[in-house]
């Protein structure tokens, strides 16, 4: 019986380029206050959010992804034809099939790249990054495009006081390629499905279709339960990611957590005992919670503003609906 030849992939993988796209419309808290009984001070003190971006009709999931991806490909110094796979994480593409990744791959001009969507909520970027690393090391692709993109304004109940102010739209993308040395650490990831009711879609699409409910489905959550889980459990996961990467918090240059809530970010920084020298992403203030897009968008902004630099060691962690999570240590492009 003939033996299958071993794969000939790269020894390691790394992020080579990053790009982001934020919709043109900036929405301040004052707009949110038109439909909920709250205040600007309350929203800022509970979440840190001052503004968020909402997409217009032209800024579709695909259109935003193409814009962000074009920047990432240029930043990586490669051509679209060299992309071997496109991985898109989103929960807000409303066509069940085909995958939006196929449309994006075509519009970018890839050479028939493999393309597929994943649904992992706010941990989606970490899941996609892990898949990309595996594809490159295994030898199935030389370069992989990982996109996190959301139009959460389509899934926001503007009358829900607990969530109306949280969500924003946008796309972030990275190009992952071969590396001669480790630049993406082992991923600590998992799920806690017994807590799935804490962040969820209000009703299935079929209930809306069948007229069981009149209100379009939206994302809702149990705020306090999510906060406690994120603060106490995700700090442990972040520490595990440092441990398996073989570094300590003092070795970090940058911390890029999912941009869900600034209070959660502050609590994780304290629990992890991060030195003051570590740059902490706080993109949530002006971008809101963009789920799968939040980490690459925050990464792109830190590099663009000079708060982080190429070669920095960064801890990234995403967590959200499922409940799912993923954390890893990376070298910034």
């Amino acid at each position: 019986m003939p033996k299958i030849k071993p794969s000939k992939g790269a020894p390691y993988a790394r992020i080579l380029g990053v790009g982001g796209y934020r919709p043109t419309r900036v929405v301040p808290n004052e707009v949110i206050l038109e439909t909920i009984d709250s205040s600007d001070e309350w929203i800022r003190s509970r979440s840190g959010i001052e503004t968020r971006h909402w997409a217009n009709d032209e800024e579709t999931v695909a259109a935003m992804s193409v814009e962000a991806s074009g920047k990432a490909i240029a930043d990586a110094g490669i051509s679209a034809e060299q992309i071997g796979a496109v991985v898109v994480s989103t929960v807000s593409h409303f066509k069940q099939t085909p995958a939006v990744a196929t449309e994006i791959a075509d519009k970018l001009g890839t050479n028939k790249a493999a393309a597929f969507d994943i649904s992992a909520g706010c941990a989606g970027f970490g899941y996609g990054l892990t898949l990309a690393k595996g594809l490159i090391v295994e030898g199935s692709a030389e370069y992989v495009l990982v996109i996190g993109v959301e139009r959460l304004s389509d899934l926001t109940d503007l009358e829900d006081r607990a969530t109306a102010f949280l969500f924003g739209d946008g796309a972030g993308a990275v190009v992952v390629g071969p590396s001669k040395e480790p630049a993406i650490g082992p991923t600590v990831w998992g799920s806690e499905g017994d807590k799935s009711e804490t962040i969820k879609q209000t009703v299935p699409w079929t209930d809306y279709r069948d007229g069981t409910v009149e209100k379009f489905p939206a994302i809702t959550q149990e705020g306090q339960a999510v906060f406690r889980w994120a603060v106490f459990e995700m700090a442990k996961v972040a520490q595990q990611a440092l441990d398996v990467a073989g570094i300590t918090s003092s070795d970090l240059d940058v911390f890029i957590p999912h941009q869900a809530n600034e209070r959660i970010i502050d609590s994780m920084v304290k629990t992890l005992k991060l030195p003051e020298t570590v740059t902490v992403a706080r993109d949530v203030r002006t971008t809101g919670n963009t789920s799968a897009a939040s980490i690459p968008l925050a990464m792109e902004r830190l590099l663009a503003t000079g708060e982080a630099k190429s070669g920095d060691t960064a801890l990234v962690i995403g967590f959200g609906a499922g409940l799912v999570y993923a954390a890893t240590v990376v070298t910034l492009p």
Side-chain angles (χ1 to χ4, degrees):
M1 187 174 183
K3 292 183 179 180
I4 297 174
K5 291 182 178 180
S7 300
K8 294 183 179 180
Y12 305 104
R14 70 182 302 125
I15 299 174
L16 299 175
V18 60
Y21 180 82
R22 293 171 172 82
T24 55
R25 183 187 177 192
V26 177
V27 180
N29 288 338
E30 286 72 18
V31 172
I32 307 298
L33 297 176
E34 294 173 4
T35 52
I36 60 171
D37 180 16
S38 187
S39 68
D40 177 61
E41 190 279 329
W42 186 90
I43 293 174
R44 292 183 188 229
S45 65
R46 294 303 178 98
S47 67
I49 298 172
E50 302 167 7
T51 61
R52 73 284 292 146
H53 295 255
W54 284 354
N56 60 34
D57 291 344
E58 286 73 39
E59 292 167 322
T60 63
V61 165
M64 292 191 293
S65 296
V66 169
E67 289 292 328
S69 298
K71 295 175 184 177
I73 292 169
D75 192 41
I78 66 169
S79 67
E81 290 86 354
Q82 292 175 273
I83 299 292
V86 177
V87 183
V88 178
S89 179
T90 185
V91 298
S92 48
H93 175 58
F94 290 158
K95 287 184 179 179
Q96 195 71 34
T97 192
V100 72
T102 59
E103 178 184 349
I104 295 165
D106 178 63
K107 288 184 174 179
L108 286 171
T110 67
N111 185 22
K112 299 181 180 179
F116 57 96
D117 299 350
I118 60 174
S119 176
C122 303
F125 176 74
Y127 276 48
L129 188 63
T130 303
L131 292 172
K133 174 185 173 182
L135 290 171
I136 291 163
V137 173
E138 188 271 338
S140 293
E142 185 175 13
Y143 298 99
V144 178
L145 179 66
V146 179
I147 304 166
V149 56
E150 302 291 2
R151 270 183 56 123
L152 293 182
S153 57
D154 291 332
L155 287 168
T156 298
D157 180 354
L158 294 178
E159 296 179 347
D160 182 355
R161 190 173 185 271
T163 60
F165 60 90
L166 286 176
F167 302 122
D169 304 336
V174 299
V175 171
V176 184
S179 176
K180 294 182 179 179
E181 57 186 32
I184 300 175
T187 301
V188 178
W189 58 349
S191 65
E192 297 186 33
D194 60 314
K195 300 181 181 66
S196 61
E197 291 295 302
T198 56
I199 307 175
K200 63 180 183 179
Q201 184 171 304
T202 50
V203 295
W205 299 115
T206 49
D207 284 6
Y208 183 73
R209 179 199 65 188
D210 297 340
T212 306
V213 296
E214 295 182 359
K215 203 167 189 177
F216 193 75
I219 297 174
T220 188
Q221 68 175 27
E222 298 173 14
Q224 287 302 315
V226 173
F227 182 88
R228 289 192 297 269
W229 175 77
V231 167
F232 296 109
E233 297 303 322
M234 291 305 97
K236 297 176 186 177
V237 171
Q239 183 60 56
Q240 291 172 25
L242 292 175
D243 294 341
V244 296
I247 67 172
T248 67
S249 59
S250 61
D251 298 313
L252 277 181
D253 300 304
V254 185
F255 179 43
I256 311 177
H258 166 48
Q259 302 294 292
N261 181 306
E262 192 164 33
R263 289 173 64 204
I264 292 175
I265 295 171
D266 289 339
S267 295
M268 292 182 72
V269 167
K270 183 177 180 181
T271 302
L272 288 168
K273 298 179 180 178
L274 296 184
E276 292 185 0
T277 53
V278 175
T279 297
V280 180
R282 299 184 185 279
D283 195 43
V284 67
R285 292 173 178 171
T286 56
T287 307
N289 180 345
T290 56
S291 189
S294 80
I295 290 175
L297 277 174
M299 182 185 295
E300 185 260 353
R301 175 162 281 173
L302 288 176
L303 289 167
T305 60
E307 296 173 81
K309 62 183 186 299
S310 175
D312 278 353
T313 300
L315 170 63
V316 299
I317 177 169
F319 45 85
L323 295 170
V324 294
Y325 54 88
T328 188
V329 174
V330 304
T331 301
L332 294 183

